[in-house]
Amino acid sequence: MPFVRIDALRADAERLDALGRAVHEALVETIGIPPDDRFQVLAGHDGTHSTLVYDDYLGVHRDEGIVYVAITMRSGRTPAQKQALYRRIAELAQSYAGAEPRNMFVTVTENESADWSLGNGLAQYL
């Protein structure tokens, strides 16, 4: 049950959809989430009223094609699975949305089953 937030600079609805598909397919392929388990917030920033800030940290040159992907999911994935996820997101985002892999900034935050309510005020995973 990942919850995904994608923020992209100057992205229209079509680009945001392509980025969302890329991340979702990577999650299905690399960590085995169910195909119908898709919960995403897709946000485009116009660079004036809302923007994204970035630098060239760790020698990775980023530009206005920056895409931030924040994934929250239950714990239990190995470092190798996460590395495969990051690679696949970069590959699919390039293929579907033309995003350069160097501009894909991905974070994973893990929590526990008690930290989720999927509706109706219930903790379905408990």
Side-chain angles (χ1 to χ4, degrees), residues 4 13 23-24 28 31-32 41 47 54-55 70 76 79 81 86 95-96 102 104-105 109 113 116 120 125:
V4 176
V23 172
H24 182 69
V28 171
I31 64 170
V41 175
Y54 52 88
D55 246 323
Q81 286 175 303
Y86 305 146
S95 176
Y96 295 171
R102 65 184 171 84
M104 297 304 299
F105 187 102
T109 302
S113 295
W116 295 88
N120 296 319
Y125 291 137

Side-chain angles (χ1 to χ4, degrees), residues 44-97:
H45 300 268
D46 65 13
T48 303
H49 296 96
S50 65
T51 194
L52 302 178
V53 179
Y54 52 88
D55 246 323
D56 290 347
Y57 183 63
L58 294 178
V60 179
H61 175 68
R62 297 166 189 88
D63 60 27
E64 289 193 356
I66 189 79
V67 178
Y68 290 120
V69 178
I71 302 169
T72 302
M73 62 184 172
R74 292 184 293 164
S75 61
R77 279 42 175 232
T78 66
Q81 286 175 303
K82 291 176 189 175
Q83 288 176 317
L85 173 64
Y86 305 146
R87 272 192 306 276
R88 193 64 178 140
I89 287 172
E91 292 167 357
L92 292 174
Q94 184 174 32
S95 176
Y96 295 171

